Amino acid sequence: MSAETKKVRLTLPENEVMSPGHLACQGCGASMAMRYALKALGRKTILSVPACCWAVIDGPFPYSAVGVPLQQSAFEAAAATASGITNALKSLGKDDITTLAWAGDGGTFDIGLQALSGAVERNENMIYVVYDNEAYMNTGIQRSSSTPHGAWTTTTPVKHYRKGQKKNIMEIIVAHHIPYCATANIAYPEDFIKKLQKAKSIKGAKFIHLFAPCPTGWKHGPDKTVKIARLATETNTFPIYEVENGVYKINKKIKNVKPVAEYLRAQGRFRHLPEDELEYIQSMVNKSYKRLEKLEAAFGESA
Amino acid sequence: MSAETKKVRLTLPENEVMSPGHLACQGCGASMAMRYALKALGRKTILSVPACCWAVIDGPFPYSAVGVPLQQSAFEAAAATASGITNALKSLGKDDITTLAWAGDGGTFDIGLQALSGAVERNENMIYVVYDNEAYMNTGIQRSSSTPHGAWTTTTPVKHYRKGQKKNIMEIIVAHHIPYCATANIAYPEDFIKKLQKAKSIKGAKFIHLFAPCPTGWKHGPDKTVKIARLATETNTFPIYEVENGVYKINKKIKNVKPVAEYLRAQGRFRHLPEDELEYIQSMVNKSYKRLEKLEAAFGESA
Amino acid sequence: MVEIRFHGRGGQGAVKASDVLAMAAFLEGKQVQSFPFFGVERRGAPVTAFTRISDDQIRIHCYIYDPDVLVILDPTLIGAVPLTDGLQPNGKIIINTQRKPEEFDFSGTENPSVYTVDCSSIALKHGLGSEAAPIVNTAILGAVAKATGLVGIDSIAESIMEKIPVKQEKNAEAARESFAQLMG
Amino acid sequence: MVEIRFHGRGGQGAVKASDVLAMAAFLEGKQVQSFPFFGVERRGAPVTAFTRISDDQIRIHCYIYDPDVLVILDPTLIGAVPLTDGLQPNGKIIINTQRKPEEFDFSGTENPSVYTVDCSSIALKHGLGSEAAPIVNTAILGAVAKATGLVGIDSIAESIMEKIPVKQEKNAEAARESFAQLMG
Amino acid sequence: MTKKDDQKPIVFEGASDMPPMSASQGSMSVNKTASWRSIRPIIHEEKCKSCMICWKFCPEPAIFPTSPPTINYDYCKGCGICIEECPFDAITSEKEGK
Amino acid sequence: MTKKDDQKPIVFEGASDMPPMSASQGSMSVNKTASWRSIRPIIHEEKCKSCMICWKFCPEPAIFPTSPPTINYDYCKGCGICIEECPFDAITSEKEGK
Amino acid sequence: MKRVLTGNYAAAYGATAAKVNVVAAYPITPQTTIVEILSEIVANGELNAEFIKVESEHSALAACIGAQSAGARTYTATSSQGLALMHELIHWTARARLPIVMTNVNRALGPGWSIWADATDSVSQRDTGWMQVYCENNQEVYDTTLMAYKISEHADILLPTLVNLDAFFLSHTSQVVDMIDQDRVDAFLPTYAPEYKLDIDNPRSFGSLTSPDHYYEFSYKMHKAHEAAKQIIPEVHAQFAKEFGREYGMTESYRCDDAEYLLVTYGTIAGTTMDAVDRMRDKGIKAGALKIRYFRPFPSEEVRSILKNAIKVGVIDRMISFGHEGAFFTETKAAMYGETVPLYGFIAGLGGRDVSIKDIESMVDKMQAEDPSNLIWIGVKE
Amino acid sequence: MKRVLTGNYAAAYGATAAKVNVVAAYPITPQTTIVEILSEIVANGELNAEFIKVESEHSALAACIGAQSAGARTYTATSSQGLALMHELIHWTARARLPIVMTNVNRALGPGWSIWADATDSVSQRDTGWMQVYCENNQEVYDTTLMAYKISEHADILLPTLVNLDAFFLSHTSQVVDMIDQDRVDAFLPTYAPEYKLDIDNPRSFGSLTSPDHYYEFSYKMHKAHEAAKQIIPEVHAQFAKEFGREYGMTESYRCDDAEYLLVTYGTIAGTTMDAVDRMRDKGIKAGALKIRYFRPFPSEEVRSILKNAIKVGVIDRMISFGHEGAFFTETKAAMYGETVPLYGFIAGLGGRDVSIKDIESMVDKMQAEDPSNLIWIGVKE
Ligand SMILES: Cc1ncc(C[n+]2csc(CCOP(=O)(O)OP(=O)(O)O)c2C)c(N)n1
Ligand SMILES: Cc1ncc(C[n+]2csc(CCOP(=O)(O)OP(=O)(O)O)c2C)c(N)n1
Ligand code: SF4
Ligand code: SF4
Ligand code: SF4
Ligand code: SF4
């Protein structure tokens, strides 16, 4: 860094708690995600991370890429491990530390769902972030229940591509009636950080569903990560909203909604889809966005 | 049975697939439940039953009380075991047999939730019935996440009675967007049976949340089981509704809704509650019923 | 070491009786052990429970096969289950019944002493249980204390105060009454 | 049994090369074994892979410590990693480089035969990979066939047709060209 | 010879005549639950309207759907639901004599 | 001496100087990921408006928030996100010479 | 203070005396009363701990792992299916070197469902790296629970301990238990203050990807910790005996010195065996009993030195490793390799089948009459 | 037809040849390619099966249990953490007497995370009642998978089989595999037609509450089934050899007859050991190798008869039962009880540490120089 360069106004906190040198692939959405999360929450944070890409990204023994304590957990146990951490902190009288469970979609939608459901039902004082890259990436791109309709993965080969909508984890967790649930997208880090900071200020269980593309698994250029992430929201495929004490609020209402095809065609994993499938996916996106609007109408601030 | 007695018109199917001699307590709601279920589904049914009272009610080796094949499963594995059964039937070309997973609230809301979530996400062709007696009864009345606010159990002693609403399993499963979800109540067997028959006619995953009081655990007379069950619905504590392909329908709209206190005061497990708690519970019941009405308004047939 | 076996029916409180007796002996400085026959208890079905009392540490951990004392809470069990199996020669049998000791025939056992007491009536008199289901488990312990001399009636009463959650006084009185009434 | 060790960088396809060579030998009726060094592969990091070829069943299942043949896909590795460790006396070293065999100094190894071939150029010529990252793993196998005589170039070509999913012809041609060009 | 049918108690000699796994084939109807009962429901024909609500709700089931209904006292556990639910007070409770 | 700070590679003699469990204390910044790069992003000062969007989105992070931003080529993996996201086309891509 | 307690209550009071910070447990017969009484104890404020009422045993142990890593002393209890469900995390706990103490009520595994005593559940965890103790009576349950914390937390050990008690035969059996005054417990077992924990001031990542270069040595260190435990356990036993007057060993011999027929066993059967030994001695048979308390680390040297002079030795297992033989028998044979004493393997009491004094006498009968055999099933109906 | 396949593909093609009806599996490194290729095989219609893409390994085995009970032949595959997560159901499968076949890729357990070879995962299942085989090469993986169905489904056995292969050393290593024509497979392995299954025409309840009166005898029957397996396995091996020309045993001896230094081991290390034996023989050392294929049922008699004439025997374990020693070593010692051959226990290759010919030679060096020892860690950095 040359001395003469001058500082500028930034839209994100400047502190970097995550260090470079980590093992994420080029253009990894999940690595951006952790950078933002630690900016938002700072060093008084303890991480609980199950098996997932991040279990590797953090680095091999004896190194780590996050400047905070991190507990690796069994694949299915992120939320339960975090429950233990947060209760220990409570029992030991340490009330200024944030417990952050950080898991992939596989560890959240599938094998870790029960521990998560139990933890939020007990309203454990923690933030749970699922970084959603829509498949098991750490083991080489196998289908998860977050894999969207139409996608190729190694266990849903082109001839048998994934049929059916991805599990709606937000609705599932919202159904637990916890203090705070939100979606976020690495393309909008300011929003993500604001939500984390809000979550930090609330006692009890907080859940954030974060959209984080994976260039390797989605088969797009590593430079396109942010662009594709943004397209997911601009096409209403992944709407940005929050549910605070049961009150719905769509945080980003897209004015000129783009066709889903634009999002799909940018990725190799959807390459094999015929036109009528694209139409079908468009209709499903419309339908579920409508559903969300209805929920906001029924349970929004003005309802 | 004396020869001169004559047959009468019955509101339930006459066939009895469940035999007497089973090991349920006097006045057990869950035993009534199975009787109805097998009336509805008949002998071409295979049961998957995890650890729960029914694992014992069926009887010790070498006896059984149900006239259909039954597979006991590990506590957490009812839905996964049933997935195996239904796929085996498919693979072996047996398409006229119903797979019925039958579990308690503990085995459904808690330890079996993940297997259930996975099975319905895969849209396995089965009916899953949770008979909800709001605690772990088989092991002697410990709290489950279905235990309602205010209730005593052996792990929520009177001094630390259960705080917080019971997990809303219906909303959670509805969030999986499966073909058919419904609530039912042993006090209304005709409705329960109709729903099972409807479920049987639908391909894919079907879920029924059945209210089934437990005199031993709820501390009421065994003769009061049906009465208390009925009160749960008459007070809107346990509304009867269904969600078919996302369309909400409240099947029983109570005209003269009774005060919740009437329901609570009939049971020993709520005896310790002070008046203001009763009021709080009433307000929560009102609130969640209102929520349901809004859902019906937003996602009902006429919406 | 003295070994006592209780026989009753599910719901009569045989297991509690074995516990209260053990506690009473403990209060007198004895080593004790009490435990039920481990089954899935069902109302009405025969139930067995056990108490061991000893001056020394009790190491054994199996069921009692050769008891010194039999306590029968429900006379309808006689004949229905092999109650007296293994009873030691000169063993004691204490029965809740209106009948007299002489009316019982325990041939096949070696020289037993039989004691009877109408605990059902005593229990009802003290408001313990209902006509259909009198609660006799505390009452009979008075008789056991008297017949065996293993523990004093005051210890039984004290143990009842510790172990029985409701109607403690009534239960203790019932025990004292059966202590007084014992026939044998 | 002949043991061959491949050295490359993540992304260059050293593992695939070891597989294709094994397959080629199999097509000639040999027993074979091929496997990577088992790590968390990262782009750009050094990668090792192994092939064993034998007339008899191959039982051994450890890494190759004393190879008969070394195949070096990336000349920048020379000096950076201890490539020649364990190379057998009179072993063969095949290098993808524009340089001549004489230009390399493998003192410390006993009498190696060094062969070089410019696979990067060959690959580019056949449209395999980009300037920055030519795909050289198939091209170099022609050279390996020639230098070692372990397998025929036709078997290499046939194996490429089986194992390489895209641009099969081009890859086969590249192999043939390096077979022709090998210096050493 | 399956659990669909009532049958006699099943007694095994030992391992040799047992199935390989815990596979229950007998009917629980061998288990007469009459002994659980401390009250006995009695249907009074004169009051009974044969509405069959008692039959509908008996958890065992221990009521036959005849007109009027018949109680199978081999199995009735005396829960009292039929008594409670009969809309015509046609069933009364008696203490069991035992 | 914790993972908060850059540090030298950690080398153990053997079991005796290792911690009892896999407890990582060093910083991954020992791991220079420059070698992963096949393209090199170059910031052109004249075009740069110091909007800091490149800094914001760099996943490593390998960009310092100076004005104009500075790229840390020890760590830049060459993903190209900064190039793609710069609204002013102020970053171009160069082939890595290696 | 002496009280008459069931084995389950003795366990719960042991954990209470250890002032655990976090409890996470899930009910299962016959462990249930541990969870219930602990709920009461916490509700009453007698123990100042967080009780996490988890949704499964898997989460129970995961929560303990999280809590212990964060510096809390934790406790959990389970049985049978619950223990089995934890298996992945049982391995995890040990490899994470977390000194968690868990009570396991030995119960048979299904199917068919069985709630009765059987040691298959815990013996199946023998390869996980936990220390394992088998208790004979309720006093031992209480004392062992306390000592387990001290031993597990020792800086040279840092390994979890599984304290086992037989279903019903201890869990639901009342016996006199002498409970230690809290101040004396506190002196014996100081506050938990681990060197390695989740600490924002000294942040570490725990459980990172570990290459073959390090994994092997971590395994070696765990092995060394078990070796160290073999030294430290007797020290803690000695300190406990000095403070509180009750003596324990990794094994306990009963009339072994001159014994000709020596029976090796564990859990409640050990108590019954000692009574049987007395009876046989009365009849002139020189019997003796060796109770194995610590199954991990396995006290091979101790076992060998005690058994080697017997004329015949029988090992009674309340489990069987199917396709082989009883596990304690196997390991006893392994410990005795090179000796020539005939060894007999007895299987008894599986699934709650009662093991009586007569059953034990029948074993010595068989040892007198027959050649050594690996598998003699006591009381089986064939 | 001969093909060059990885061990994982060999396993998947073995299951395909067995025409399984239902597959339920969950991905985990290094098993993943089994799941992937089976997805392809099913998608392509080469195998007419339902593939249940479950949400966890626990549900994978639960689904197999359900499917197998309903009369389907089923298959699953896993590794390490996944196997551990199944533990409760591993017990369950065996006690339910369901002849499920599972492939396990032997991988180390975390923490720290390790994806490399280590047999702790499967050896930890030794008390569950499953049969266990350890494979040395890919042909063996394929053949063993096929034979496992035949053996498991035998009416006198009805026990599940775990087929193990070492992470990467087999799972990701390509070798020549001779695949059998489908019609010949079908003749060897007929359609699955179990007597006990979920059947609406003969309804049974499976897994009912089982009192001590019956549980003990069910356990005994399982034990007897393992005994029967020891007879039937060699028969199936013989039939396989007759049909397809490849010979297998429960153990396999290599140059054991006149061997003075005998090394006992399993998995890929066995192959390397045989090459090391040749090398040592060339140097004039009379070495031999005994490969144990079947760990359950454990072929005690066979092991004993082969080893008893050696001068010294070493057992190489790629796992350690912490607080004790290597499991194969323990069980070998137990099998050898009464013999006097000095026995050495070697630990090697944990967490993927490579085991080379030199490592193996170093063991014989140690055996020549030292007294017997239970635990010699090969190549540990202390
Ligand atoms: C019990 C268990 N099963 C399987 C695995 C293997 N495994 C590790 S990470 C992973 C996939 C993780 O997927 P996801 O949670 O979506 O995170 P991502 O890798 O995509 O970041 C799998 C299957 C494991 N570690 N433990
Ligand atoms: C893994 C496991 N944990 C715990 C148990 C013990 N257990 C058996 S049934 C049961 C409670 C069942 O509760 P629920 O599902 O509500 O059914 P209910 O007994 O109320 O009918 C418990 C805790 C078990 N069998 N397996
Ligand atoms: S409920 Fe009453 S009126 Fe109706 S059939 Fe039964 S006894 Fe008769
Ligand atoms: S009392 Fe209960 S069990 Fe008896 S007939 Fe009536 S409803 Fe049935
Ligand atoms: S994004 Fe472009 S304009 Fe903005 S700071 Fe970076 S280089 Fe400059
Ligand atoms: S290319 Fe990628 S890694 Fe390099 S500076 Fe740009 S954003 Fe960062």
Side-chain angles (χ1 to χ4, degrees), chain F residues 42-45 47-55 63 66 68-69 82 85-91:
Chain F
I42 313 276
I43 299 182
H44 300 276
E45 194 164 348
K47 285 196 179 176
C48 172
K49 305 268 191 281
S50 287
C51 68
M52 291 301 127
I53 285 178
C54 54
W55 170 80
I63 303 185
T66 51
C82 53
E85 293 300 321
C86 172
F88 306 101
D89 291 335
I91 317 183

Side-chain angles (χ1 to χ4, degrees), chain A residues 43-46 58-61 63-64 66-74 76-77 80-81 83-85 87-88 90-92 97 114-115 118 122 124, chain G residues 21-22 48 50 52-56 58-59 62-63 65-67 69-72 88-89 92 197-200 203-210 214 218:
Chain A
R43 289 188 188 270
K44 291 194 168 183
T45 302
I46 296 179
D58 187 45
F61 175 80
Y63 304 108
S64 162
V66 294
V68 299
L70 182 152
Q71 177 68 50
Q72 303 254 7
S73 85
E76 58 285 0
T81 307
S83 298
I85 294 170
N87 276 284
K90 189 171 167 200
S91 165
L92 300 171
I97 299 174
Q114 188 160 295
R122 295 188 303 271
E124 302 287 7
Chain G
N21 305 109
V22 173
N48 182 14
E50 300 301 317
I52 315 180
K53 285 165 189 164
V54 286
E55 78 294 341
S56 75
H58 193 281
S59 285
I65 287 170
S69 315
E88 183 191 6
L89 297 180
W92 191 283
K197 66 172 184 212
L198 296 165
D199 180 356
I200 54 167
R204 294 182 178 95
S205 282
F206 289 91
S208 312
L209 186 68
T210 301
H214 296 119
F218 280 126

Side-chain angles (χ1 to χ4, degrees), chain G residues 96-340:
Chain G
R97 305 294 298 276
L98 294 170
I100 292 171
V101 174
M102 165 153 65
T103 302
N104 178 58
V105 183
N106 281 122
R107 158 187 154 177
L109 288 157
W113 289 117
S114 165
I115 54 172
W116 294 280
D118 192 303
T120 306
D121 55 358
S122 55
V123 173
S124 299
Q125 311 310 317
R126 58 176 151 156
D127 300 324
T128 60
W130 282 55
M131 296 188 283
Q132 289 201 11
V133 195
Y134 290 79
C135 295
E136 181 203 327
N137 58 50
N138 298 358
Q139 183 69 56
E140 190 174 339
V141 171
Y142 177 86
D143 293 344
T144 301
T145 305
L146 269 185
M147 285 189 281
Y149 280 102
K150 194 175 177 79
I151 293 163
S152 283
E153 292 171 6
H154 192 291
D156 294 342
I157 301 183
L158 293 181
L159 292 167
T161 301
L162 190 69
V163 180
N164 294 287
L165 53 153
D166 281 335
F168 299 107
F169 292 115
L170 277 198
S171 69
H172 285 63
T173 295
S174 297
Q175 287 185 294
V176 180
V177 175
D178 191 356
M179 289 160 70
I180 305 171
D181 292 342
Q182 190 64 51
D183 52 342
R184 299 182 66 203
V185 173
D186 294 347
F188 177 74
L189 180 69
T191 309
Y192 178 54
E195 182 185 345
Y196 291 89
K197 66 172 184 212
L198 296 165
D199 180 356
I200 54 167
D201 296 322
N202 185 4
R204 294 182 178 95
S205 282
F206 289 91
S208 312
L209 186 68
T210 301
S211 78
D213 282 347
H214 296 119
Y215 190 96
Y216 192 69
E217 277 67 30
F218 280 126
S219 302
Y220 182 69
K221 286 184 83 100
M222 266 179 81
H223 159 64
K224 284 285 170 197
H226 270 281
E227 292 288 300
K230 285 203 210 175
Q231 308 305 317
I232 294 159
I233 291 163
E235 286 167 30
V236 173
H237 284 161
Q239 191 184 339
F240 189 89
K242 208 177 123 217
E243 295 286 335
F244 310 117
R246 289 187 292 274
E247 312 226 354
Y248 294 98
M250 291 186 73
T251 68
E252 287 173 22
S253 331
Y254 186 72
R255 305 182 84 165
C256 284
D257 285 352
D258 63 339
E260 297 178 347
Y261 294 93
L262 234 158
L263 289 167
V264 181
T265 189
Y266 49 101
T268 52
I269 295 179
T272 308
T273 303
M274 293 179 197
D275 271 20
V277 162
D278 288 351
R279 268 231 231 159
M280 289 186 276
R281 289 265 178 179
D282 291 348
K283 292 182 196 165
I285 301 167
K286 283 198 171 169
L290 176 65
K291 164 174 140 188
I292 297 190
R293 261 172 49 80
Y294 268 88
F295 180 50
R296 285 288 178 279
F298 191 75
S300 300
E301 303 76 9
E302 218 171 295
V303 166
R304 187 187 185 107
S305 76
I306 295 162
L307 299 185
K308 66 172 185 228
N309 298 322
I311 292 186
K312 288 191 170 184
V313 170
V315 181
I316 314 170
D317 269 289
R318 187 170 230 146
M319 64 80 61
I320 174 170
S321 184
F322 292 105
H324 199 202
E325 55 200 13
F328 279 67
F329 179 53
T330 301
E331 304 207 353
T332 300
K333 277 198 291 181
M336 291 284 284
Y337 184 75
E339 301 293 338
T340 52

